[in-house]
Amino acid sequence: MKKSVFLFMMAAAVAFAACTNSKLNPAEEEKAEEHVFQMVAKPDFVFSSMGNTLYSTKATRALVAAPEVKEEKGSTGVEVNLSVCPANEYNASKLSVHIRVVNDVTVFIPVEATAFSKNDANSLAILLKNASATGVYGETEQALVVNGNTVQSKVQFMENGVKVSVTGVNQAVIDYLQEEYGDGITVEVWNYYQNTTTLEGLKAGFDAGAKVSFSEKPSLYVNAFAKVPDYVDALGSIKIFTKYVEVSASEPYYEAMGEDKTFLYPYMDEALTLPLDAKYWVRPARMYANGDEEFVGPSKYYLFKGHVNPYDCTVTPEGVSFDNKIANDATVPADVETTVYDIPANYNVLYY
């Protein structure tokens, strides 16, 4: 791995002390001094590419409620996943922005200022209106240098929500990360909210008003929704191990399987002694060919039964119009063992 990917931190600490900004007029100063301006918690940032963490500010305070969304690996365009997550002290939102083409991307997350600020919205608005320097109250940012090019993520706290922007993803950044990792840049931002909020309330607000905008219209925008295996609800996010079992030579599809004549089975332990209950998985049908003869038989792979992650949220594109919109349906059909289907790995919504 080349050593030219490194982080530099901007002057970006969110102010936690009372504000005495000289830009405030006397009336505003008097009002501002009545408050001690505090955030609930500073956001966390993670920069990565194809799962390789380039920099992270967190051992996150949030508890991931479900498996991560599977990225549309190899695709071009922009992909956004916004989730609400429980945390030890706060409720959180996790925003992942995957950029695989030259673009600046901004996501607006609607939430009342009282959810993230210990002050009233009017006080927050005064400071945002009058303070423009990097790192003042109401803003925080992190930057990553990729082969000499700066990618910056900024979070701005507003009266009616949180605005997250990612800038600086130019062609040099895309080319370098594609060469090194086979992917673009992923910027993950965790924001934390006071415990007076609820996950349900946050999600309802996000679904109704979360927006994404672009400096240039991408050919593809993906609003990502993970598929959660049913076993997670009952057993937690356990690690699944795979056992290979030889297929009997008497099976009609035996020769058509090629050199690897095994079926895979899921187990809950590395020693492969605890099989995962069959109610949580199924072996889907596939099409075999033996010479000119084609026939349906069981796949060597197992497929987890599952459902859409209830914590993932809608993020609607704005400022651009797309000709097509497709919502993936990753639901496992009842006749999947006898009928061949092309089942997506997730519930992503694709705009193109």
Side-chain angles (χ1 to χ4, degrees), residues 119-157:
N119 312 106
D120 61 75
N122 188 49
S123 299
L124 179 63
I126 289 172
L127 290 171
L128 287 175
K129 178 180 178 181
N130 289 277
S132 59
T134 298
V136 299
Y137 180 85
E139 294 180 2
T140 187
E141 61 188 23
Q142 290 283 357
L144 179 77
V145 174
V146 180
N147 199 29
N149 300 272
T150 301
V151 177
Q152 187 175 65
S153 179
K154 177 184 285 188
V155 178
Q156 183 175 7
F157 299 92

mmCIF file of all heavy atoms in Angstrom, residues 119-157:
data_model
loop_
_atom_site.group_PDB
_atom_site.id
_atom_site.type_symbol
_atom_site.label_atom_id
_atom_site.label_comp_id
_atom_site.label_asym_id
_atom_site.label_seq_id
_atom_site.Cartn_x
_atom_site.Cartn_y
_atom_site.Cartn_z
ATOM 1 N N ASN A 119 -29.029 24.037 23.812
ATOM 2 C CA ASN A 119 -29.566 25.391 23.824
ATOM 3 C C ASN A 119 -30.778 25.474 22.915
ATOM 4 O O ASN A 119 -31.084 24.552 22.180
ATOM 5 C CB ASN A 119 -28.492 26.377 23.355
ATOM 6 C CG ASN A 119 -27.179 26.154 24.062
ATOM 7 O OD1 ASN A 119 -26.243 25.636 23.484
ATOM 8 N ND2 ASN A 119 -27.132 26.497 25.340
ATOM 9 N N ASP A 120 -31.443 26.608 22.944
ATOM 10 C CA ASP A 120 -32.601 26.759 22.078
ATOM 11 C C ASP A 120 -32.161 27.082 20.661
ATOM 12 O O ASP A 120 -31.042 27.538 20.402
ATOM 13 C CB ASP A 120 -33.549 27.842 22.605
ATOM 14 C CG ASP A 120 -32.874 29.200 22.668
ATOM 15 O OD1 ASP A 120 -32.689 29.812 21.610
ATOM 16 O OD2 ASP A 120 -32.526 29.630 23.789
ATOM 17 N N ALA A 121 -33.048 26.862 19.706
ATOM 18 C CA ALA A 121 -32.715 27.022 18.292
ATOM 19 C C ALA A 121 -32.338 28.454 17.959
ATOM 20 O O ALA A 121 -31.495 28.706 17.097
ATOM 21 C CB ALA A 121 -33.899 26.574 17.441
ATOM 22 N N ASN A 122 -32.938 29.428 18.617
ATOM 23 C CA ASN A 122 -32.650 30.822 18.313
ATOM 24 C C ASN A 122 -31.203 31.169 18.647
ATOM 25 O O ASN A 122 -30.519 31.874 17.905
ATOM 26 C CB ASN A 122 -33.602 31.739 19.083
ATOM 27 C CG ASN A 122 -33.482 33.189 18.649
ATOM 28 O OD1 ASN A 122 -33.505 33.489 17.463
ATOM 29 N ND2 ASN A 122 -33.353 34.085 19.619
ATOM 30 N N SER A 123 -30.710 30.657 19.748
ATOM 31 C CA SER A 123 -29.327 30.917 20.122
ATOM 32 C C SER A 123 -28.374 30.296 19.109
ATOM 33 O O SER A 123 -27.371 30.897 18.715
ATOM 34 C CB SER A 123 -29.043 30.337 21.511
ATOM 35 O OG SER A 123 -29.873 30.939 22.485
ATOM 36 N N LEU A 124 -28.685 29.103 18.664
ATOM 37 C CA LEU A 124 -27.854 28.428 17.679
ATOM 38 C C LEU A 124 -27.842 29.216 16.379
ATOM 39 O O LEU A 124 -26.809 29.396 15.750
ATOM 40 C CB LEU A 124 -28.377 27.013 17.432
ATOM 41 C CG LEU A 124 -27.616 26.170 16.403
ATOM 42 C CD1 LEU A 124 -26.197 25.928 16.866
ATOM 43 C CD2 LEU A 124 -28.332 24.847 16.187
ATOM 44 N N ALA A 125 -28.988 29.735 15.968
ATOM 45 C CA ALA A 125 -29.088 30.472 14.713
ATOM 46 C C ALA A 125 -28.237 31.733 14.741
ATOM 47 O O ALA A 125 -27.608 32.096 13.752
ATOM 48 C CB ALA A 125 -30.542 30.830 14.426
ATOM 49 N N ILE A 126 -28.189 32.436 15.874
ATOM 50 C CA ILE A 126 -27.392 33.662 15.984
ATOM 51 C C ILE A 126 -25.923 33.353 15.728
ATOM 52 O O ILE A 126 -25.249 34.032 14.959
ATOM 53 C CB ILE A 126 -27.553 34.300 17.381
ATOM 54 C CG1 ILE A 126 -28.957 34.886 17.522
ATOM 55 C CG2 ILE A 126 -26.502 35.377 17.615
ATOM 56 C CD1 ILE A 126 -29.271 35.364 18.920
ATOM 57 N N LEU A 127 -25.433 32.283 16.326
ATOM 58 C CA LEU A 127 -24.022 31.966 16.187
ATOM 59 C C LEU A 127 -23.684 31.514 14.781
ATOM 60 O O LEU A 127 -22.664 31.880 14.221
ATOM 61 C CB LEU A 127 -23.633 30.905 17.200
ATOM 62 C CG LEU A 127 -23.630 31.424 18.638
ATOM 63 C CD1 LEU A 127 -23.461 30.280 19.606
ATOM 64 C CD2 LEU A 127 -22.533 32.440 18.832
ATOM 65 N N LEU A 128 -24.555 30.722 14.158
ATOM 66 C CA LEU A 128 -24.297 30.279 12.801
ATOM 67 C C LEU A 128 -24.311 31.452 11.834
ATOM 68 O O LEU A 128 -23.536 31.507 10.886
ATOM 69 C CB LEU A 128 -25.335 29.233 12.381
ATOM 70 C CG LEU A 128 -25.177 27.858 13.019
ATOM 71 C CD1 LEU A 128 -26.318 26.958 12.612
ATOM 72 C CD2 LEU A 128 -23.861 27.231 12.596
ATOM 73 N N LYS A 129 -25.188 32.399 12.058
ATOM 74 C CA LYS A 129 -25.324 33.547 11.167
ATOM 75 C C LYS A 129 -24.092 34.437 11.216
ATOM 76 O O LYS A 129 -23.682 35.010 10.201
ATOM 77 C CB LYS A 129 -26.561 34.358 11.552
ATOM 78 C CG LYS A 129 -26.774 35.611 10.704
ATOM 79 C CD LYS A 129 -28.017 36.349 11.168
ATOM 80 C CE LYS A 129 -28.227 37.627 10.361
ATOM 81 N NZ LYS A 129 -29.422 38.375 10.819
ATOM 82 N N ASN A 130 -23.464 34.544 12.354
ATOM 83 C CA ASN A 130 -22.397 35.510 12.542
ATOM 84 C C ASN A 130 -20.991 34.917 12.538
ATOM 85 O O ASN A 130 -20.021 35.652 12.566
ATOM 86 C CB ASN A 130 -22.608 36.264 13.858
ATOM 87 C CG ASN A 130 -23.784 37.204 13.782
ATOM 88 O OD1 ASN A 130 -23.674 38.317 13.301
ATOM 89 N ND2 ASN A 130 -24.933 36.722 14.240
ATOM 90 N N ALA A 131 -20.879 33.628 12.552
ATOM 91 C CA ALA A 131 -19.554 33.015 12.633
ATOM 92 C C ALA A 131 -19.268 32.268 11.335
ATOM 93 O O ALA A 131 -20.047 31.427 10.919
ATOM 94 C CB ALA A 131 -19.494 32.055 13.818
ATOM 95 N N SER A 132 -18.172 32.582 10.684
ATOM 96 C CA SER A 132 -17.848 31.953 9.410
ATOM 97 C C SER A 132 -16.523 31.203 9.427
ATOM 98 O O SER A 132 -16.228 30.448 8.511
ATOM 99 C CB SER A 132 -17.805 33.010 8.299
ATOM 100 O OG SER A 132 -16.840 34.003 8.603
ATOM 101 N N ALA A 133 -15.712 31.372 10.454
ATOM 102 C CA ALA A 133 -14.398 30.736 10.492
ATOM 103 C C ALA A 133 -14.534 29.237 10.723
ATOM 104 O O ALA A 133 -15.463 28.761 11.361
ATOM 105 C CB ALA A 133 -13.554 31.357 11.594
ATOM 106 N N THR A 134 -13.588 28.480 10.189
ATOM 107 C CA THR A 134 -13.580 27.029 10.370
ATOM 108 C C THR A 134 -13.436 26.685 11.847
ATOM 109 O O THR A 134 -12.608 27.246 12.543
ATOM 110 C CB THR A 134 -12.417 26.412 9.591
ATOM 111 O OG1 THR A 134 -12.603 26.674 8.207
ATOM 112 C CG2 THR A 134 -12.353 24.915 9.820
ATOM 113 N N GLY A 135 -14.237 25.739 12.301
ATOM 114 C CA GLY A 135 -14.084 25.236 13.648
ATOM 115 C C GLY A 135 -14.863 25.998 14.695
ATOM 116 O O GLY A 135 -14.730 25.714 15.875
ATOM 117 N N VAL A 136 -15.685 26.958 14.289
ATOM 118 C CA VAL A 136 -16.467 27.682 15.277
ATOM 119 C C VAL A 136 -17.656 26.844 15.702
ATOM 120 O O VAL A 136 -17.947 25.794 15.138
ATOM 121 C CB VAL A 136 -16.967 29.029 14.705
ATOM 122 C CG1 VAL A 136 -15.793 29.900 14.324
ATOM 123 C CG2 VAL A 136 -17.893 28.800 13.514
ATOM 124 N N TYR A 137 -18.361 27.343 16.707
ATOM 125 C CA TYR A 137 -19.547 26.642 17.172
ATOM 126 C C TYR A 137 -20.508 26.440 16.014
ATOM 127 O O TYR A 137 -20.781 27.334 15.246
ATOM 128 C CB TYR A 137 -20.245 27.441 18.270
ATOM 129 C CG TYR A 137 -21.479 26.750 18.783
ATOM 130 C CD1 TYR A 137 -21.381 25.788 19.781
ATOM 131 C CD2 TYR A 137 -22.732 27.024 18.245
ATOM 132 C CE1 TYR A 137 -22.501 25.127 20.233
ATOM 133 C CE2 TYR A 137 -23.856 26.370 18.697
ATOM 134 C CZ TYR A 137 -23.738 25.426 19.690
ATOM 135 O OH TYR A 137 -24.849 24.763 20.133
ATOM 136 N N GLY A 138 -21.021 25.223 15.896
ATOM 137 C CA GLY A 138 -21.977 24.921 14.845
ATOM 138 C C GLY A 138 -21.371 24.227 13.649
ATOM 139 O O GLY A 138 -22.090 23.766 12.778
ATOM 140 N N GLU A 139 -20.040 24.109 13.586
ATOM 141 C CA GLU A 139 -19.387 23.442 12.467
ATOM 142 C C GLU A 139 -18.237 22.582 12.979
ATOM 143 O O GLU A 139 -17.590 22.899 13.969
ATOM 144 C CB GLU A 139 -18.806 24.448 11.469
ATOM 145 C CG GLU A 139 -19.818 25.294 10.741
ATOM 146 C CD GLU A 139 -19.145 26.266 9.772
ATOM 147 O OE1 GLU A 139 -17.897 26.224 9.681
ATOM 148 O OE2 GLU A 139 -19.858 27.045 9.139
ATOM 149 N N THR A 140 -17.995 21.505 12.273
ATOM 150 C CA THR A 140 -16.786 20.726 12.519
ATOM 151 C C THR A 140 -16.442 20.006 11.228
ATOM 152 O O THR A 140 -17.321 19.746 10.402
ATOM 153 C CB THR A 140 -16.961 19.730 13.673
ATOM 154 O OG1 THR A 140 -15.702 19.130 13.965
ATOM 155 C CG2 THR A 140 -17.965 18.651 13.348
ATOM 156 N N GLU A 141 -15.178 19.692 11.037
ATOM 157 C CA GLU A 141 -14.780 19.057 9.789
ATOM 158 C C GLU A 141 -13.527 18.227 9.961
ATOM 159 O O GLU A 141 -12.760 18.415 10.913
ATOM 160 C CB GLU A 141 -14.576 20.096 8.687
ATOM 161 C CG GLU A 141 -13.501 21.120 8.987
ATOM 162 C CD GLU A 141 -13.475 22.236 7.961
ATOM 163 O OE1 GLU A 141 -14.507 22.457 7.301
ATOM 164 O OE2 GLU A 141 -12.421 22.871 7.829
ATOM 165 N N GLN A 142 -13.345 17.289 9.050
ATOM 166 C CA GLN A 142 -12.132 16.488 8.975
ATOM 167 C C GLN A 142 -11.718 16.429 7.507
ATOM 168 O O GLN A 142 -12.559 16.539 6.607
ATOM 169 C CB GLN A 142 -12.378 15.064 9.483
ATOM 170 C CG GLN A 142 -12.610 14.947 10.961
ATOM 171 C CD GLN A 142 -11.327 15.058 11.774
ATOM 172 O OE1 GLN A 142 -10.240 15.179 11.216
ATOM 173 N NE2 GLN A 142 -11.454 15.035 13.089
ATOM 174 N N ALA A 143 -10.435 16.236 7.279
ATOM 175 C CA ALA A 143 -9.941 16.163 5.918
ATOM 176 C C ALA A 143 -8.942 15.019 5.782
ATOM 177 O O ALA A 143 -8.214 14.693 6.720
ATOM 178 C CB ALA A 143 -9.290 17.476 5.500
ATOM 179 N N LEU A 144 -8.934 14.413 4.610
ATOM 180 C CA LEU A 144 -8.018 13.322 4.292
ATOM 181 C C LEU A 144 -7.259 13.704 3.032
ATOM 182 O O LEU A 144 -7.870 14.139 2.049
ATOM 183 C CB LEU A 144 -8.797 12.031 4.063
ATOM 184 C CG LEU A 144 -7.985 10.795 3.696
ATOM 185 C CD1 LEU A 144 -7.317 10.231 4.936
ATOM 186 C CD2 LEU A 144 -8.873 9.729 3.048
ATOM 187 N N VAL A 145 -5.940 13.567 3.053
ATOM 188 C CA VAL A 145 -5.143 13.822 1.863
ATOM 189 C C VAL A 145 -4.907 12.500 1.149
ATOM 190 O O VAL A 145 -4.354 11.559 1.720
ATOM 191 C CB VAL A 145 -3.808 14.501 2.222
ATOM 192 C CG1 VAL A 145 -2.924 14.620 0.982
ATOM 193 C CG2 VAL A 145 -4.069 15.874 2.810
ATOM 194 N N VAL A 146 -5.365 12.423 -0.077
ATOM 195 C CA VAL A 146 -5.237 11.220 -0.892
ATOM 196 C C VAL A 146 -4.279 11.515 -2.040
ATOM 197 O O VAL A 146 -4.631 12.242 -2.979
ATOM 198 C CB VAL A 146 -6.601 10.771 -1.446
ATOM 199 C CG1 VAL A 146 -6.448 9.507 -2.285
ATOM 200 C CG2 VAL A 146 -7.593 10.525 -0.311
ATOM 201 N N ASN A 147 -3.042 11.020 -1.918
ATOM 202 C CA ASN A 147 -2.049 11.205 -2.978
ATOM 203 C C ASN A 147 -1.899 12.678 -3.349
ATOM 204 O O ASN A 147 -1.838 13.054 -4.518
ATOM 205 C CB ASN A 147 -2.440 10.381 -4.207
ATOM 206 C CG ASN A 147 -1.257 10.152 -5.140
ATOM 207 O OD1 ASN A 147 -0.117 10.110 -4.698
ATOM 208 N ND2 ASN A 147 -1.546 10.006 -6.421
ATOM 209 N N GLY A 148 -1.879 13.539 -2.329
ATOM 210 C CA GLY A 148 -1.680 14.959 -2.537
ATOM 211 C C GLY A 148 -2.937 15.772 -2.753
ATOM 212 O O GLY A 148 -2.870 16.994 -2.911
ATOM 213 N N ASN A 149 -4.098 15.119 -2.728
ATOM 214 C CA ASN A 149 -5.378 15.802 -2.943
ATOM 215 C C ASN A 149 -6.220 15.735 -1.678
ATOM 216 O O ASN A 149 -6.352 14.669 -1.067
ATOM 217 C CB ASN A 149 -6.135 15.145 -4.095
ATOM 218 C CG ASN A 149 -5.368 15.192 -5.402
ATOM 219 O OD1 ASN A 149 -5.472 16.145 -6.159
ATOM 220 N ND2 ASN A 149 -4.567 14.159 -5.646
ATOM 221 N N THR A 150 -6.806 16.858 -1.290
ATOM 222 C CA THR A 150 -7.552 16.943 -0.039
ATOM 223 C C THR A 150 -9.030 16.653 -0.257
ATOM 224 O O THR A 150 -9.697 17.329 -1.044
ATOM 225 C CB THR A 150 -7.409 18.330 0.595
ATOM 226 O OG1 THR A 150 -6.027 18.591 0.841
ATOM 227 C CG2 THR A 150 -8.180 18.412 1.905
ATOM 228 N N VAL A 151 -9.527 15.643 0.447
ATOM 229 C CA VAL A 151 -10.964 15.353 0.509
ATOM 230 C C VAL A 151 -11.447 15.809 1.874
ATOM 231 O O VAL A 151 -10.901 15.401 2.902
ATOM 232 C CB VAL A 151 -11.253 13.854 0.314
ATOM 233 C CG1 VAL A 151 -12.749 13.576 0.456
ATOM 234 C CG2 VAL A 151 -10.754 13.385 -1.044
ATOM 235 N N GLN A 152 -12.467 16.651 1.892
ATOM 236 C CA GLN A 152 -12.921 17.264 3.140
ATOM 237 C C GLN A 152 -14.371 16.898 3.416
ATOM 238 O O GLN A 152 -15.209 16.904 2.511
ATOM 239 C CB GLN A 152 -12.784 18.779 3.045
ATOM 240 C CG GLN A 152 -13.067 19.529 4.338
ATOM 241 C CD GLN A 152 -12.793 21.010 4.171
ATOM 242 O OE1 GLN A 152 -13.455 21.692 3.399
ATOM 243 N NE2 GLN A 152 -11.803 21.511 4.891
ATOM 244 N N SER A 153 -14.655 16.578 4.663
ATOM 245 C CA SER A 153 -16.034 16.353 5.104
ATOM 246 C C SER A 153 -16.356 17.362 6.196
ATOM 247 O O SER A 153 -15.638 17.456 7.190
ATOM 248 C CB SER A 153 -16.215 14.933 5.638
ATOM 249 O OG SER A 153 -17.550 14.728 6.074
ATOM 250 N N LYS A 154 -17.426 18.116 5.992
ATOM 251 C CA LYS A 154 -17.834 19.139 6.954
ATOM 252 C C LYS A 154 -19.237 18.840 7.463
ATOM 253 O O LYS A 154 -20.123 18.451 6.695
ATOM 254 C CB LYS A 154 -17.817 20.532 6.313
ATOM 255 C CG LYS A 154 -18.312 21.649 7.231
ATOM 256 C CD LYS A 154 -18.368 22.986 6.533
ATOM 257 C CE LYS A 154 -16.995 23.568 6.344
ATOM 258 N NZ LYS A 154 -17.049 24.967 5.830
ATOM 259 N N VAL A 155 -19.438 19.023 8.765
ATOM 260 C CA VAL A 155 -20.758 18.912 9.379
ATOM 261 C C VAL A 155 -21.158 20.285 9.890
ATOM 262 O O VAL A 155 -20.398 20.925 10.623
ATOM 263 C CB VAL A 155 -20.751 17.908 10.553
ATOM 264 C CG1 VAL A 155 -22.131 17.851 11.214
ATOM 265 C CG2 VAL A 155 -20.354 16.524 10.061
ATOM 266 N N GLN A 156 -22.336 20.742 9.502
ATOM 267 C CA GLN A 156 -22.851 22.025 9.980
ATOM 268 C C GLN A 156 -24.179 21.775 10.681
ATOM 269 O O GLN A 156 -25.084 21.149 10.128
ATOM 270 C CB GLN A 156 -23.053 23.005 8.820
ATOM 271 C CG GLN A 156 -23.518 24.375 9.285
ATOM 272 C CD GLN A 156 -23.608 25.376 8.138
ATOM 273 O OE1 GLN A 156 -23.444 25.015 6.982
ATOM 274 N NE2 GLN A 156 -23.859 26.626 8.469
ATOM 275 N N PHE A 157 -24.272 22.260 11.913
ATOM 276 C CA PHE A 157 -25.488 22.118 12.710
ATOM 277 C C PHE A 157 -26.363 23.350 12.498
ATOM 278 O O PHE A 157 -25.928 24.477 12.717
ATOM 279 C CB PHE A 157 -25.135 21.937 14.183
ATOM 280 C CG PHE A 157 -24.312 20.706 14.434
ATOM 281 C CD1 PHE A 157 -22.930 20.771 14.434
ATOM 282 C CD2 PHE A 157 -24.919 19.481 14.629
ATOM 283 C CE1 PHE A 157 -22.161 19.644 14.641
ATOM 284 C CE2 PHE A 157 -24.161 18.332 14.836
ATOM 285 C CZ PHE A 157 -22.781 18.422 14.845
#
